[in-house]
Coordinates of all heavy atoms in Angstrom, one line a residue:
G150 N 0.8 -1.2 0.1 CA 0.0 0.1 0.0 C 0.8 1.2 0.0 O 0.5 2.3 -0.6
A151 N 2.0 1.3 0.7 CA 2.8 2.5 0.8 C 3.5 2.7 -0.6 O 3.7 3.8 -1.0 CB 3.9 2.2 1.9
M152 N 3.8 1.5 -1.2 CA 4.4 1.7 -2.5 C 3.4 2.3 -3.6 O 3.7 3.0 -4.5 CB 5.0 0.4 -3.0 CG 6.3 0.0 -2.2 SD 6.9 -1.6 -2.7 CE 7.7 -1.0 -4.2
L153 N 2.1 1.7 -3.5 CA 1.1 2.2 -4.4 C 0.6 3.6 -4.2 O 0.3 4.4 -5.0 CB -0.1 1.3 -4.3 CG -0.1 -0.1 -4.8 CD1 -1.2 -1.0 -4.4 CD2 0.2 -0.1 -6.3
R154 N 0.7 4.0 -2.9 CA 0.4 5.4 -2.5 C 0.9 6.4 -3.4 O 0.1 7.5 -3.8 CB 0.4 5.7 -1.2 CG 0.0 7.0 -0.6 CD -1.5 7.0 -0.4 NE -1.9 8.2 0.2 CZ -2.4 9.2 -0.5 NH1 -2.4 9.2 -1.9 NH2 -2.9 10.4 0.1
R155 N 2.1 6.4 -3.8 CA 2.9 7.4 -4.5 C 2.7 7.2 -6.0 O 3.2 7.9 -6.7 CB 4.4 7.3 -4.3 CG 4.7 7.5 -2.8 CD 6.1 7.6 -2.5 NE 6.8 6.4 -2.8 CZ 7.0 5.4 -1.9 NH1 6.5 5.5 -0.6 NH2 7.8 4.3 -2.2
R156 N 2.0 6.2 -6.5 CA 1.9 5.8 -7.8 C 0.5 5.9 -8.4 O 0.4 5.8 -9.7 CB 2.6 4.4 -8.0 CG 4.1 4.4 -7.9 CD 4.7 3.0 -7.8 NE 6.0 2.9 -7.8 CZ 6.9 3.0 -6.6 NH1 6.2 3.1 -5.6 NH2 8.0 3.0 -6.8
L157 N -0.5 5.9 -7.7 CA -1.9 5.8 -8.0 C -2.4 7.2 -8.2 O -2.1 8.1 -7.5 CB -2.7 5.0 -7.1 CG -2.4 3.6 -6.8 CD1 -3.4 2.9 -5.8 CD2 -2.4 2.7 -8.1
P158 N -3.3 7.2 -9.3 CA -4.0 8.6 -9.4 C -4.9 8.8 -8.1 O -5.2 8.0 -7.4 CB -5.1 8.3 -10.6 CG -4.3 7.3 -11.3 CD -3.6 6.3 -10.3
A159 N -5.3 10.0 -7.8 CA -5.9 10.5 -6.6 C -7.2 9.6 -6.5 O -7.8 9.4 -5.3 CB -6.2 11.9 -6.6
D160 N -8.0 9.3 -7.5 CA -9.3 8.6 -7.5 C -9.2 7.2 -7.5 O -10.3 6.6 -7.8 CB -10.2 9.3 -8.5 CG -9.7 9.0 -10.0 OD1 -8.5 8.6 -10.1 OD2 -10.4 9.2 -10.9
T161 N -8.0 6.6 -7.5 CA -7.9 5.1 -7.6 C -7.4 4.5 -6.3 O -6.7 5.1 -5.6 CB -6.9 4.8 -8.7 OG1 -7.3 5.5 -10.0 CG2 -6.7 3.3 -8.9
F162 N -8.0 3.3 -6.0 CA -7.5 2.5 -4.9 C -7.7 1.0 -5.2 O -8.2 0.7 -6.3 CB -8.3 2.9 -3.7 CG -9.8 2.5 -3.8 CD1 -10.4 1.4 -3.6 CD2 -10.7 3.7 -4.2 CE1 -11.7 1.1 -3.7 CE2 -12.1 3.4 -4.4 CZ -12.6 2.2 -4.2
V163 N -7.1 0.2 -4.4 CA -7.0 -1.3 -4.6 C -7.5 -2.0 -3.4 O -6.9 -1.8 -2.4 CB -5.7 -1.7 -5.0 CG1 -5.7 -3.4 -5.4 CG2 -5.1 -0.9 -6.2
T164 N -8.5 -2.8 -3.5 CA -8.9 -3.7 -2.4 C -8.1 -5.0 -2.6 O -7.7 -5.4 -3.6 CB -10.4 -4.1 -2.4 OG1 -10.7 -4.8 -3.5 CG2 -11.2 -2.7 -2.4
A165 N -7.8 -5.6 -1.4 CA -7.0 -6.8 -1.5 C -7.1 -7.7 -0.2 O -7.2 -7.2 0.9 CB -5.5 -6.5 -1.6
F166 N -7.1 -8.9 -0.4 CA -7.1 -9.9 0.7 C -6.0 -10.9 0.5 O -5.7 -11.4 -0.5 CB -8.5 -10.8 0.8 CG -8.4 -12.0 1.7 CD1 -8.8 -11.9 3.1 CD2 -7.9 -13.2 1.4 CE1 -8.7 -12.8 4.0 CE2 -7.9 -14.2 2.4 CZ -8.2 -14.1 3.6
M167 N -5.1 -11.0 1.5 CA -4.0 -11.8 1.4 C -3.9 -12.8 2.5 O -4.1 -12.5 3.7 CB -2.6 -10.9 1.5 CG -1.3 -11.8 1.6 SD 0.1 -10.8 1.4 CE 0.3 -10.8 -0.5
A168 N -3.5 -14.0 2.2 CA -3.4 -15.1 3.2 C -2.1 -15.9 3.0 O -1.6 -16.0 1.8 CB -4.6 -16.1 3.1
V169 N -1.6 -16.4 4.1 CA -0.3 -17.2 4.0 C -0.7 -18.6 4.7 O -1.2 -18.5 5.8 CB 0.9 -16.5 4.6 CG1 2.0 -17.5 4.7 CG2 1.3 -15.2 4.0
L170 N -0.6 -19.6 4.0 CA -1.0 -21.0 4.6 C 0.4 -21.7 4.8 O 1.2 -21.9 3.9 CB -1.8 -21.8 3.5 CG -2.1 -23.1 3.9 CD1 -3.1 -23.0 5.2 CD2 -3.0 -23.8 2.8
R171 N 0.6 -22.1 6.1 CA 1.8 -22.9 6.5 C 1.4 -24.0 7.5 O 0.9 -23.5 8.6 CB 2.8 -22.0 6.9 CG 4.1 -22.7 7.2 CD 5.2 -21.8 7.6 NE 6.5 -22.4 7.8 CZ 7.7 -21.9 8.2 NH1 7.6 -20.6 8.5 NH2 8.8 -22.6 8.3
E172 N 1.6 -25.2 7.2 CA 1.5 -26.3 8.3 C 0.1 -26.1 8.9 O 0.1 -26.3 10.1 CB 2.6 -26.2 9.2 CG 4.0 -26.5 8.6 CD 5.1 -26.4 9.6 OE1 4.7 -26.1 10.8 OE2 6.2 -26.8 9.2
G173 N -1.0 -26.0 8.1 CA -2.3 -26.1 8.7 C -2.9 -24.8 9.3 O -4.1 -24.7 9.7
E174 N -1.9 -23.8 9.4 CA -2.5 -22.5 9.8 C -2.5 -21.5 8.8 O -1.6 -21.4 7.8 CB -1.3 -21.9 10.9 CG -1.7 -20.7 11.5 CD -0.8 -20.0 12.4 OE1 0.2 -19.7 11.9 OE2 -1.1 -19.7 13.6
L175 N -3.6 -20.8 8.7 CA -3.9 -19.7 7.8 C -3.8 -18.4 8.4 O -4.6 -18.0 9.2 CB -5.2 -19.8 7.0 CG -5.5 -19.0 5.9 CD1 -4.8 -19.4 4.6 CD2 -6.9 -18.8 5.6
R176 N -2.7 -17.5 8.1 CA -2.7 -16.2 8.6 C -3.1 -15.3 7.5 O -2.7 -15.4 6.3 CB -1.2 -15.9 9.0 CG -0.7 -16.8 9.9 CD 0.6 -16.2 10.6 NE 0.3 -15.0 11.5 CZ -0.1 -15.0 12.7 NH1 -0.4 -16.1 13.3 NH2 -0.3 -13.8 13.4
Y177 N -3.9 -14.2 7.8 CA -4.5 -13.5 6.9 C -4.8 -12.0 7.3 O -4.8 -11.7 8.4 CB -5.9 -14.2 6.3 CG -7.0 -14.1 7.5 CD1 -7.8 -13.1 7.6 CD2 -7.0 -15.2 8.3 CE1 -8.8 -13.1 8.6 CE2 -8.0 -15.2 9.3 CZ -8.9 -14.3 9.5 OH -9.7 -14.3 10.4
S178 N -4.9 -11.1 6.3 CA -5.1 -9.8 6.4 C -6.0 -9.3 5.2 O -6.0 -9.8 4.1 CB -3.9 -8.9 6.5 OG -3.0 -9.1 7.7
N179 N -6.8 -8.2 5.6 CA -7.7 -7.7 4.5 C -7.5 -6.0 4.4 O -7.6 -5.5 5.4 CB -9.2 -8.0 5.0 CG -10.1 -7.9 3.7 OD1 -9.8 -7.2 2.8 ND2 -11.1 -8.7 3.7
A180 N -7.6 -5.8 3.1 CA -7.4 -4.2 2.7 C -8.6 -4.0 1.9 O -8.6 -3.6 0.8 CB -6.2 -4.0 1.9
G181 N -9.8 -3.9 2.7 CA -11.0 -3.5 2.2 C -11.8 -4.3 1.2 O -12.7 -3.9 0.5
H182 N -11.4 -5.7 1.1 CA -11.9 -6.5 0.0 C -12.9 -7.3 0.8 O -13.2 -7.3 2.0 CB -10.9 -7.4 -0.5 CG -11.2 -8.1 -1.8 ND1 -11.5 -7.5 -2.9 CD2 -11.6 -9.4 -2.1 CE1 -11.8 -8.4 -4.0 NE2 -11.8 -9.6 -3.3
L183 N -13.9 -7.9 -0.1 CA -14.9 -8.9 0.4 C -14.4 -10.0 1.2 O -13.3 -10.6 0.7 CB -15.8 -9.3 -0.8 CG -16.5 -8.4 -1.6 CD1 -17.1 -8.9 -2.8 CD2 -17.7 -7.8 -0.7
P184 N -14.8 -10.3 2.3 CA -14.2 -11.3 3.2 C -14.4 -12.7 2.5 O -15.6 -13.1 2.1 CB -14.9 -11.3 4.4 CG -16.2 -10.7 4.2 CD -16.0 -9.7 3.0
P185 N -13.5 -13.6 2.3 CA -13.7 -15.0 1.9 C -14.6 -15.7 2.7 O -14.8 -15.4 3.9 CB -12.2 -15.5 1.9 CG -11.4 -14.4 1.8 CD -12.0 -13.3 2.6
L186 N -15.0 -16.9 2.4 CA -15.9 -17.7 3.1 C -15.0 -18.9 3.6 O -14.3 -19.5 2.7 CB -17.1 -18.1 2.4 CG -18.1 -17.0 1.9 CD1 -19.2 -17.6 1.1 CD2 -18.6 -16.3 3.1
L187 N -15.3 -19.4 4.8 CA -14.6 -20.6 5.2 C -15.7 -21.6 5.6 O -16.6 -21.5 6.2 CB -13.9 -20.3 6.5 CG -13.3 -21.6 7.3 CD1 -12.1 -22.2 6.4 CD2 -12.6 -21.2 8.4
M188 N -15.6 -22.7 4.8 CA -16.6 -23.8 4.9 C -16.0 -25.0 5.6 O -15.0 -25.5 5.1 CB -17.2 -24.2 3.4 CG -17.6 -23.1 2.7 SD -18.1 -23.5 1.0 CE -18.4 -21.9 0.3
R189 N -16.4 -25.3 6.9 CA -15.8 -26.4 7.7 C -16.3 -27.7 7.2 O -17.5 -27.7 6.7 CB -16.2 -26.0 9.1 CG -15.5 -24.9 9.8 CD -14.0 -25.0 9.8 NE -13.3 -24.0 10.6 CZ -12.0 -23.8 10.8 NH1 -11.2 -24.6 10.3 NH2 -11.6 -22.8 11.5
A190 N -15.5 -28.7 7.4 CA -15.9 -30.0 6.9 C -17.1 -30.5 7.6 O -17.9 -31.3 7.0 CB -14.7 -30.9 7.3

């Protein structure tokens, strides 16, 4: 986001969801995007 801030037009933004999966653990953060769904077994 810090890198994009200096490069985007004033009326442009980007939503994003990012997750890292490692050994059964999902770590995640959200930048204004629609939340994913988790469907348990």
Side-chain angles (χ1 to χ4, degrees):
M152 294 179 74
L153 289 172
R154 183 74 174 93
R155 300 188 297 272
R156 294 169 171 84
L157 297 182
D160 59 347
T161 301
F162 58 88
V163 183
T164 67
F166 172 85
M167 174 174 272
V169 177
L170 180 63
R171 182 178 188 183
E172 297 179 353
E174 182 186 63
L175 186 81
R176 301 195 67 83
Y177 62 92
S178 294
N179 197 330
H182 196 67
L183 295 166
L186 299 177
L187 177 63
M188 307 176 192
R189 294 293 189 183

